[in-house]
Amino acid sequence: MLKPGTDIAVGPIGAGEVIGHLRGTIELARAEARALLLPNEPATTLQERRAVRDRLAAAVRPGGGARLVLAEPAVPEVWPETGRTPPPACAIVPAYNGLSDLKACLASLLPQLAPGRFRALVIDDASPDPEATRYLDDLAAEQRPGLTVLRNRENLGFIGTVNGGLALLEPGEDGILVNADTVLAPRALEKLARACHRAPGIASATPLSNNATILGFPGMPEAQGPLMGLGPAEIDAALEAASPQPVVVPTGVGFCLYLNRQALDEVGGLSPDWGRGYCEEVDWCLTARDLGWIHVAATDTYVEHEGSVSFGKGERLAILERNHARLVALYPEYQDEVDAFIAADPLQPLRLSVLGTLLAGRIRRLTLHVGHGFGGGATRYVDQVRGLARAKDHEIGHLAPMGRYLALTLDAAGASVTLRPDDLFGLLDALEAAGLAIDLHLNARFGYESTVLDRLLSGRWPYAVTLHDFQWYCPKVHLVDGRDFYCEEPPPDVCRHCTVRGVAYDYADQNALMGGGLDGWLATNERILRGAKRLVAPSRDTAERYARRLGLSGIAVVPHPEAAPPAPVRPRRAPLGPVRVALVGGIGHHKGFELAVALAERAARERRPIAFTVIGNVADDKRVADLANLTVTGAYDPEDLPRLLDEADPDYVFLSSVWPETYSYVLSEVWSAGYPVVALDIGAPAERIRAEGGGLLLPFTRDTALLLDALVEARGQLAEVAIPNLPATAPSLAQYEAAIEGAAGFEIGQAV
């Protein structure tokens, strides 16, 4: 069965001409009400429009179906400036504690007040903070023109306070809901009024904001800080300079909501049924839509919004979840409408245009790190690079795939946007045209369509590749086979047997090549690697494997740019009692989960004096649930690792990875916490322990008898081992890049 909103097209699939789409009962009823509203004085058609709404409610709400009707595709409404002067308006500011936010809000609001045009009601909702009360008393004593300060005798909550203010509006006066945790740009009130009265039948206007769900800037719907730390005036001016049209939105957003008095007279105030708040303004907006009104985004206006000051995070989420469920039950179409708006995102061109303008005026170089967004070592590396000291006009971005979209995060700008590939390239084009130097740093190829990789890595922008793992010639990434153990890197025609049932990683449109000959996949990867300006490996072991397998040369071997304070000196315990061994991190299959289970099982059978603690999680909790000598603490935050190690009090930490790791941040973390390490003799951990000390290497084998003996004996062998220190300070970004340039001339096998 076709859903309302389905396009009707003629012609080839994907290239046909849209001749109409299916519209549901709700959409048609609202169109009927709007047809009554627009040509008439609202009061003359109110009864007819209420009858349409009642008919709609009886047919569809709550939870009813929708009759489908073929209709013409909707055409966006465009309105020329009318030159009409909007009616007077009153800003209603509910205040409850939050003195610093309130001061900032009123500092931005009060200069915009003008008798006969804009006034403000600041209503103290019985704040218990005496400083907030004193501030408002002093403000009232100043008797500023256009400002009235009131105080509730008892706490009424947001809805009760707003409704009290709405009841005090003068005849014909519009209302503006202004949260006390907002900062308005100059002329925000004027521009909101102009947007709301741009055309007949507009019930509300909402500005763009850093925290305004579907009206967020520079991204949405998640909240973020103000772009580049800029004040509202600068962002507002950039939006206004773009000369955008208002955009019709499914609902206004209550942090700063301009309300047309005629719509207010029809709908009334906010419903008290929403308790302490959240969703009450959406209920108001949807009620207005049922009567034929629409809502717009004032796209030339920006208001900064702190958000969620009144409630703690847990309480806020609980209220929001409860009220959102009620909202969707009352208006079953609402979530689909919001989802459709987010998918279409008509504000995206404006967002990206203004983002590009603001960036171009403040940065001269952009390094875009292309990653996978999974977390782990590659993401940690990018975070480290972001933290390196660099020139103020050097921006670092991070790109990650999100299905058909791309998630772009800009570090110094403090911006996160979700965009289509064409939008990304449009933004890069605009920045380059403005004189920015753009370079790329490729950390992963997972999730990117070949067309996106081809456009990114065409040679237009120089790029480096850091070899964080073996995804460029091993579809399973970690060089492990069906035994969950190092595969010893057989020829490619053998590798395909390992992928015949598919792989866990998403190579986008090249997924179909898995299980086949892999030739096309390998050819793509080799072309990318050979086109790089620089190839970087964090260990010589990794560089040598790539050199052997793909014939690559000139790989720069440069460790990740880590820094840490000196490792604490831990007192040596007498070697008494069972050997206590810790494993750290997510112990998945390539991290030696099967080996760890086999060691614990053998130790239990043979009653060996050894106990294992996994500080982190494991691939299969059920497999270890009955092992008395293996404890799993669960996932942890990295900053908690030293404390968790102290609580476990191990004799040493065992790195159980069964693949040649390329660096091992866990090794760094354990050393920084002051503990020695035992590792299998493979990959970067073995290379680092040989070079720095701080641990013991065991034969790389699956022989649990041999390994168990070695693990028991390791405690005594580590008694006098000194823990190496990481560099005390990280290099600057320029120093790190210089180290890469300096190391790139060495061929594998040369001494460094």
Side-chain angles (χ1 to χ4, degrees):
M1 179 172 135
L2 295 176
K3 296 176 63 177
T6 301
D7 286 341
I8 306 297
V10 294
I13 294 175
E17 179 184 357
V18 176
I19 61 171
H21 66 271
L22 295 172
R23 298 176 69 185
T25 301
I26 294 170
E27 188 178 351
L28 291 173
R30 285 175 172 166
E32 183 180 347
R34 186 154 183 77
L36 290 167
L37 172 67
L38 288 181
N40 303 294
E41 181 65 26
T44 64
T45 61
L46 180 56
Q47 293 307 315
E48 292 177 89
R49 288 183 285 119
R50 282 178 174 167
V52 172
R53 180 194 62 190
D54 292 344
R55 193 168 72 242
L56 165 64
V60 179
R61 296 186 180 134
R67 296 190 304 276
L68 301 182
V69 180
L70 182 63
E72 291 298 317
V75 178
E77 299 191 47
V78 178
W79 311 289
E81 289 279 7
T82 63
R84 293 179 299 180
T85 301
C90 177
I92 300 168
V93 185
Y96 182 81
N97 291 347
L99 179 57
S100 61
D101 287 324
L102 178 61
K103 285 182 175 180
C105 174
L106 296 184
S108 69
L109 174 66
L110 297 183
Q112 302 185 44
L113 303 184
R117 184 70 195 94
F118 294 112
R119 68 186 183 101
L121 289 174
V122 180
I123 308 175
D124 180 9
D125 192 19
S127 296
D129 180 1
E131 291 189 17
T133 300
R134 189 178 308 113
Y135 166 72
L136 290 176
D137 286 343
D138 292 343
L139 192 62
E142 295 176 10
Q143 297 185 332
R144 298 192 181 208
L147 174 66
T148 302
V149 179
L150 303 174
R151 179 167 294 116
N152 294 336
R153 293 181 179 178
E154 60 184 23
N155 183 262
L156 300 180
F158 179 82
I159 294 175
T161 301
V162 166
N163 285 342
L166 292 174
L168 296 174
L169 294 179
E170 300 289 345
E173 188 177 42
D174 290 341
I176 316 169
L177 308 187
V178 179
N179 279 15
D181 60 351
T182 59
V183 179
L184 283 66
R187 300 175 43 246
L189 299 186
E190 173 191 332
K191 293 198 288 183
L192 286 170
R194 197 170 65 222
C196 194
H197 291 278
R198 186 79 172 255
I202 300 175
S204 77
T206 310
L208 303 190
S209 175
N210 61 297
N211 183 4
T213 60
I214 61 173
L215 300 183
F217 175 84
M220 66 94 183
E222 293 81 10
Q224 48 195 297
L227 177 69
M228 304 179 78
L230 297 174
E234 294 171 278
I235 298 175
D236 180 89
L239 288 168
E240 185 174 354
S243 302
Q245 285 270 327
V247 170
V248 177
V249 294
T251 178
V253 186
F255 74 102
C256 184
L257 184 64
Y258 190 104
L259 301 173
N260 186 320
R261 179 55 182 268
Q262 291 179 310
L264 265 172
D265 288 342
E266 292 190 4
V267 178
L270 303 178
S271 170
D273 295 341
W274 298 96
R276 297 186 63 191
Y278 290 122
C279 300
E280 70 281 352
E281 87 278 20
V282 180
D283 173 53
W284 189 95
C285 290
L286 296 181
T287 301
R289 286 184 63 192
D290 286 351
L291 294 173
W293 297 88
I294 62 172
H295 309 283
V296 300
T299 51
D300 63 348
T301 311
Y302 180 85
V303 170
E304 186 178 308
H305 181 210
E306 177 68 23
S308 304
V309 171
S310 299
F311 306 115
K313 182 178 180 181
E315 183 182 12
R316 176 178 65 86
L317 293 176
I319 295 172
L320 184 58
E321 182 177 2
R322 181 174 63 250
N323 283 5
H324 185 266
R326 179 172 180 264
L327 183 75
V328 172
L330 288 172
Y331 303 96
E333 78 283 1
Y334 170 69
Q335 192 60 56
D336 286 342
E337 290 178 338
V338 169
D339 291 344
F341 183 87
I342 291 173
D345 198 3
L347 294 170
Q348 179 79 305
L350 172 65
R351 286 193 188 96
L352 293 180
S353 172
V354 174
L355 172 63
T357 298
L358 291 170
L359 288 174
R362 290 163 177 82
I363 64 173
R364 305 315 306 158
R365 178 185 172 192
L366 169 64
T367 299
L368 182 60
H369 280 263
V370 181
H372 49 53
F374 300 156
T379 299
R380 181 166 177 174
Y381 167 77
V382 175
D383 289 342
Q384 281 182 339
V385 171
R386 285 172 164 175
L388 300 180
R390 62 182 188 272
K392 290 183 179 180
D393 60 359
H394 183 182
E395 175 62 285
I396 292 180
H398 182 252
L399 192 70
M402 291 181 59
R404 296 183 296 111
Y405 296 89
L406 300 169
L408 172 64
T409 303
L410 297 170
D411 179 50
S416 298
V417 294
T418 301
L419 62 176
R420 299 174 181 86
D422 284 347
D423 294 330
L424 169 68
F425 292 109
L427 177 61
L428 295 179
D429 288 343
L431 293 175
E432 193 170 48
L436 268 72
I438 297 174
D439 59 286
L440 310 176
H441 198 123
L442 189 58
N443 296 284
R445 59 147 301 169
F446 304 137
Y448 294 96
E449 296 284 336
S450 295
T451 53
V452 175
L453 288 175
D454 288 344
R455 291 178 71 181
L456 273 174
L457 310 175
S458 64
R460 175 178 174 182
W461 300 296
Y463 64 93
V465 181
T466 292
L467 305 170
H468 294 285
D469 48 42
F470 299 96
Q471 62 183 273
W472 300 99
Y473 66 88
C474 171
K476 292 177 70 174
V477 175
H478 301 113
L479 300 176
V480 294
D481 55 21
R483 306 167 301 164
D484 288 319
F485 204 75
Y486 175 53
C487 66
E488 300 182 11
E489 304 182 52
D493 59 339
V494 177
C495 287
R496 66 185 179 86
H497 295 296
C498 200
T499 64
V500 70
R501 292 187 177 87
V503 296
Y505 294 90
D506 179 17
Y507 293 96
D509 57 329
Q510 290 201 330
N511 285 337
L513 300 177
M514 300 302 116
L518 299 181
D519 293 344
W521 179 78
L522 285 168
T524 297
N525 294 347
E526 283 199 54
R527 175 169 50 80
I528 290 172
L529 294 180
R530 294 186 187 281
K533 176 188 70 173
R534 289 286 175 262
L535 296 176
V536 185
S539 65
R540 181 168 292 277
D541 180 88
T542 302
E544 289 175 344
R545 291 177 192 276
Y546 270 96
R548 285 196 302 267
R549 186 57 177 253
L550 300 179
L552 300 172
S553 61
I555 301 174
V557 178
V558 181
H560 292 329
E562 292 191 286
V569 177
R570 301 193 174 279
R572 302 296 185 181
R573 275 198 320 266
L576 303 173
V579 175
R580 293 194 290 274
V581 179
L583 292 81
V584 172
I587 309 301
H589 292 290
H590 64 290
K591 295 285 188 176
F593 172 72
E594 297 295 340
L595 180 62
V597 171
L599 287 167
E601 289 175 339
R602 185 173 197 122
R605 286 195 308 270
E606 298 177 359
R607 301 180 183 276
R608 303 294 293 273
I610 189 168
F612 301 90
T613 298
V614 175
I615 300 175
N617 47 31
V618 295
D620 186 346
D621 288 313
K622 294 181 180 178
R623 289 274 306 280
V624 302
D626 296 329
L627 291 174
N629 61 350
L630 195 157
T631 302
V632 179
T633 65
Y636 62 92
D637 292 326
E639 59 268 22
D640 291 334
L641 180 59
R643 174 182 60 81
L644 293 170
L645 279 168
D646 287 346
E647 291 173 359
D649 193 25
D651 292 296
Y652 57 83
V653 171
F654 175 42
L655 300 185
S656 57
S657 284
V658 294
W659 69 291
E661 291 204 55
T662 58
Y663 186 69
S664 183
Y665 280 115
V666 167
L667 175 58
S668 300
E669 291 174 332
V670 171
W671 276 346
S672 295
Y675 289 89
V677 172
V678 172
L680 300 177
D681 192 359
I682 188 172
E687 178 182 318
R688 295 178 67 189
I689 290 170
R690 279 198 179 88
E692 303 290 340
L696 178 69
L697 296 177
L698 305 185
F700 185 72
T701 177
R702 298 168 66 202
D703 184 339
T704 54
L706 186 155
L707 290 176
L708 200 55
D709 286 343
L711 289 171
V712 171
E713 294 169 3
R715 177 168 62 183
Q717 295 171 314
L718 291 169
E720 302 303 323
V721 167
I723 307 301
N725 290 315
L726 296 176
T729 58
S732 67
L733 183 56
Q735 290 170 329
Y736 178 61
E737 290 177 335
I740 291 173
E741 291 295 317
F746 288 99
E747 296 297 323
I748 301 305
Q750 281 185 280
V752 177

